[in-house]
Amino acid sequence: MHFRTAKKQANDVYLNDTLEVDKDGNPLTIEDTVSSPDDLAENLEIKVRWEKVAKIIENMDDEREKEIIILRYGLDNKKPLTQREVAQRLNISRSYVSRIEKKVLKDIKNKIKKEENK
């Protein structure tokens, strides 16, 4: 049994496996050579901005505008809808949905810029 298990695990590779050792005796592991395309600072900044946007949407006074943005972008764990689908659901025209969406997005952008300039 031991030999079968050893044979099965012979091809396993782990991140902490040593590839080679430098002249000071420090091991170079696979984990050291794997690069991550993620920039943590950038990801954090994006997350903070989305939290600001979510807070702005949550505190919107006009319920219709709020509902249109939530439906269009699939917020609150909902499926994003097209302008046509939102228009049908709210019994308004697609062009009206488009105008409201543009207005709300512009307002959100302005509020974020205003907060960043403080």
Side-chain angles (χ1 to χ4, degrees):
M1 289 298 276
H2 170 72
F3 294 112
R4 284 185 187 170
T5 304
K7 185 176 180 181
K8 285 181 184 178
Q9 294 177 349
N11 294 328
D12 291 352
V13 178
Y14 300 96
L15 289 176
N16 60 354
D17 286 350
T18 302
L19 294 173
E20 60 182 53
V21 179
D22 65 10
K23 64 182 177 180
D24 296 329
N26 298 320
L28 176 65
T29 64
I30 294 174
E31 183 176 20
D32 295 333
T33 63
V34 175
S35 67
S36 173
D38 296 335
D39 180 7
L40 295 178
E42 185 179 324
N43 288 346
L44 181 61
E45 183 179 333
I46 290 170
K47 184 177 179 183
V48 167
R49 278 190 166 195
W50 272 114
E51 287 173 355
K52 287 179 184 177
V53 169
K55 188 174 182 180
I56 290 169
I57 292 171
E58 184 179 310
N59 295 327
M60 288 175 63
D61 294 329
D62 190 326
E63 288 298 318
R64 175 170 265 183
E65 290 178 355
K66 182 178 178 179
E67 185 176 10
I68 288 172
I69 290 299
I70 289 171
L71 292 173
R72 278 290 290 138
Y73 293 95
L75 305 176
D76 294 337
N77 294 322
K78 295 180 181 176
K79 178 183 166 237
L81 301 177
T82 64
Q83 288 180 346
R84 187 176 315 279
E85 291 169 330
V86 172
Q88 288 172 348
R89 183 176 283 191
L90 300 178
N91 200 23
I92 57 178
S93 71
R94 190 208 53 78
S95 62
Y96 188 52
V97 171
S98 177
R99 285 193 302 268
I100 290 175
E101 181 181 351
K102 284 180 185 178
K103 176 195 172 294
V104 171
L105 293 177
K106 183 178 176 185
D107 291 346
I108 290 171
K109 186 177 179 181
N110 290 338
K111 285 180 183 181
I112 289 176
K113 280 185 180 181
K114 192 184 296 184
E115 284 183 19
E116 289 176 350
N117 291 332
K118 286 184 180 180

